Amino acid sequence: MTSDNSKNSTVSGMSSEEEAKLTVLRDGIDDIDKKIALLINNRAQLAQEVAAVKHQFKSDDEPVVFYRPEREAQVLRKIMDLNEGPLNDEEMARLFREIMSACLALERPVSVAYLGPEGTFTQQAALKHFGHSARTSSMPAIDDVFREVESGSVNYGVVPVENSTEGVINHTLDNFMTSGLKICGEVELRIHQNLMVSDVTKIDSITRVYSHAQSLAQCRKWLDAYYPHVERVAVNSNSEAARRIKGEWNSAAIAGELAAHQYGLHILNEKIEDQPDNSTRFLIIGSEPVPISGDDKTSIMVAMKNQPGALHSLLQPFHQHNIDLTRIETRPSKTGAWNYVFFIDFNGHISDYSVKEALKVIDLHAADVKVLGSYPRAVL
Ligand SMILES: C=C(O[C@@H]1C=C(C(=O)O)C=C[C@H]1O)C(=O)O
């Protein structure tokens, strides 16, 4: 016969005093959850009413714009400002990001094309920006993301534009030369690379590692130190690398955590990138311009003739109007052998007086100026 020696111990192994205290606290949590659920639904109802008003003031053939990036940025910034902890500002904003995503989906689910395949950092960026209620679809190439948005098959697209260790993604910039799409937002993602293997991998016999060329470059020193004799094979994407090693006993892949989950792989070494602050910036592309949010950036493309003082006359108006440049890139133009195109990002919105004035002057010196978009600075 078994008997319980401790007279205060219960079935769960806790003392009755511990259990009583937990019950009080958990009753408190249940109570709050009930209120939170009710309030979230009240919020969702208001979002539905917003949708009705958006409809009401549009004529039949005018498209209704449900997703408002400037308003969403303001909501998240306000939540972060109000936050007093113990949750940190980013955690709070992440929770509200998902609440807004669900509210927007009630108005109209937003459809988003991203540079795939599934499991890429670009998919991670799309979910970070739009939340998990967005309908995301994977595209095989950056050009396809642009095409899907241009054709109206999806509302928005997400493409990578620059990496803090490897620099700019030229393919994205080149697409802006011919596309009429607008930049509606930016996302920044900390990039952590991981070495992963499959169930069949013989860990002591790895002779090959697959990854995207950029990821291999981001982990060059680590590979030199730990796998100096292993062949490095560049493939189209990190997800492709993850997919390939499923049946190969002598191969490993370098990819993000999402890819390991997606393909059922085991992470052998995490955070193997050479630069600890390795991050990638992504752009949200769409067809509508974004109104001012109060903390915005603008991207422009300027074609200049290759003549003395061209760069000076391009930069001078920014200096004169006290506008901070955040990035400048040069690409050879596709139209004339010796002409250049500058991609410039700066702080401010196209509706700001100082920005308008600076652009007026630049217009006088440039062969062509194209505003790619003003958009809220990344909040998360
Ligand atoms: C409710 C609105 O529509 C969408 C949902 C938002 C929200 O849930 O807060 C914010 C902006 C829009 O993307 C709105 O425009 O205010």
Side-chain angles (χ1 to χ4, degrees):
M1 201 179 119
T2 53
S3 68
D4 195 339
N5 292 333
S6 139
K7 58 180 186 312
N8 286 330
S9 176
T10 60
V11 191
S12 60
M14 288 184 281
S15 71
S16 45
E17 190 187 351
E18 182 181 357
E19 206 156 73
K21 280 193 169 168
L22 286 182
T23 303
V24 172
L25 293 171
R26 285 175 179 159
D27 283 349
I29 287 178
D30 286 346
D31 222 36
I32 290 175
D33 284 350
K34 219 190 282 174
K35 289 179 189 142
I36 293 174
L38 200 76
L39 287 173
I40 291 176
N41 270 324
N42 288 349
R43 187 188 195 285
Q45 265 161 8
L46 289 178
Q48 280 181 313
E49 285 173 36
V50 167
V53 173
K54 285 175 185 171
H55 261 302
Q56 192 188 344
F57 289 90
K58 286 275 183 298
S59 58
D60 284 349
D61 51 348
E62 236 181 318
V64 183
V65 181
F66 293 99
Y67 170 62
R68 298 298 298 264
E70 78 290 2
R71 167 70 182 155
E72 295 206 352
Q74 287 164 347
V75 171
L76 294 179
R77 285 180 201 139
K78 211 175 296 168
I79 289 299
M80 290 170 93
D81 272 355
L82 288 172
N83 184 43
E84 289 180 353
L87 288 181
N88 70 36
D89 292 356
E90 279 71 28
E91 279 301 332
M92 275 304 265
R94 223 169 40 77
L95 293 171
F96 273 81
R97 166 64 285 155
E98 289 301 330
I99 292 175
M100 277 199 294
S101 181
C103 289
L104 176 63
L106 266 188
E107 290 185 45
R108 172 77 55 89
V110 66
S111 54
V112 182
Y114 64 90
L115 175 64
E118 274 184 55
T120 53
F121 289 118
T122 315
Q123 183 184 20
Q124 223 168 296
L127 294 172
K128 182 178 178 188
H129 189 81
F130 289 99
H132 285 71
S133 300
R135 289 190 185 151
T136 57
S137 49
S138 142
M139 294 294 134
I142 288 173
D143 298 19
D144 297 316
V145 177
F146 274 81
R147 209 169 307 130
E148 282 294 283
V149 185
E150 272 158 6
S151 72
S153 304
V154 293
N155 305 123
Y156 297 93
V158 185
V159 287
V161 68
E162 61 180 317
N163 179 273
S164 57
T165 46
E166 286 307 301
V168 72
I169 288 120
N170 289 326
H171 219 77
T172 293
L173 293 191
D174 288 350
N175 260 289
F176 282 114
M177 292 193 200
T178 48
S179 172
L181 292 180
K182 294 262 168 275
I183 301 174
C184 311
E186 60 168 3
V187 194
E188 273 171 20
L189 205 64
R190 267 293 173 89
I191 301 291
H192 295 305
Q193 303 284 7
N194 310 278
L195 187 76
M196 52 191 73
V197 293
S198 76
D199 285 335
V200 300
T201 313
K202 295 199 169 102
I203 291 171
D204 297 331
S205 314
I206 295 172
T207 57
R208 195 181 296 153
V209 57
Y210 294 107
S211 195
H212 187 270
Q214 244 189 28
S215 300
L216 286 171
Q218 286 169 21
C219 304
R220 189 169 49 81
K221 287 188 195 145
W222 190 89
L223 286 169
D224 288 347
Y226 295 100
Y227 289 89
H229 305 300
V230 163
E231 185 193 3
R232 299 170 199 185
V233 184
V235 291
N236 274 341
S237 69
N238 291 346
S239 301
E240 166 68 16
R243 195 186 57 75
R244 273 211 197 192
I245 65 164
K246 282 217 63 110
E248 293 190 19
W249 59 271
N250 60 336
S251 305
I254 292 176
E257 222 182 330
L258 194 60
H261 286 305
Q262 211 111 35
Y263 295 93
L265 302 174
H266 313 286
I267 292 181
L268 272 191
N269 302 89
E270 53 180 20
K271 300 185 180 167
I272 62 167
E273 64 277 4
D274 297 332
Q275 304 282 341
D277 57 352
N278 188 21
S279 63
T280 295
R281 181 166 168 258
F282 300 83
L283 295 177
I284 312 299
I285 50 174
S287 39
E288 300 292 331
V290 180
I292 194 162
S293 79
D295 186 7
D296 302 276
K297 280 166 86 172
T298 297
S299 298
I300 61 168
M301 202 185 90
V302 186
M304 297 292 279
K305 296 218 169 60
N306 188 19
Q307 58 198 22
L311 186 58
H312 181 261
S313 57
L314 174 59
L315 298 182
Q316 172 63 19
F318 289 108
H319 176 65
Q320 194 187 334
H321 291 278
N322 223 353
I323 297 168
D324 283 338
L325 300 187
T326 56
R327 188 177 67 119
I328 176 160
E329 298 289 343
T330 319
R331 295 283 299 144
S333 145
K334 304 225 157 137
T335 53
W338 297 104
N339 287 353
Y340 290 92
V341 172
F342 294 95
F343 287 88
I344 303 173
D345 290 353
F346 53 87
N347 289 335
H349 191 274
I350 191 70
S351 63
D352 292 343
Y353 175 76
S354 57
V355 171
K356 276 197 233 161
E357 289 301 302
L359 289 186
K360 260 190 223 163
V361 182
I362 291 167
D363 223 10
L364 298 175
H365 301 288
D368 192 19
V369 181
K370 186 168 162 187
V371 177
L372 302 179
S374 290
Y375 48 92
R377 179 193 309 286
V379 180
L380 277 171

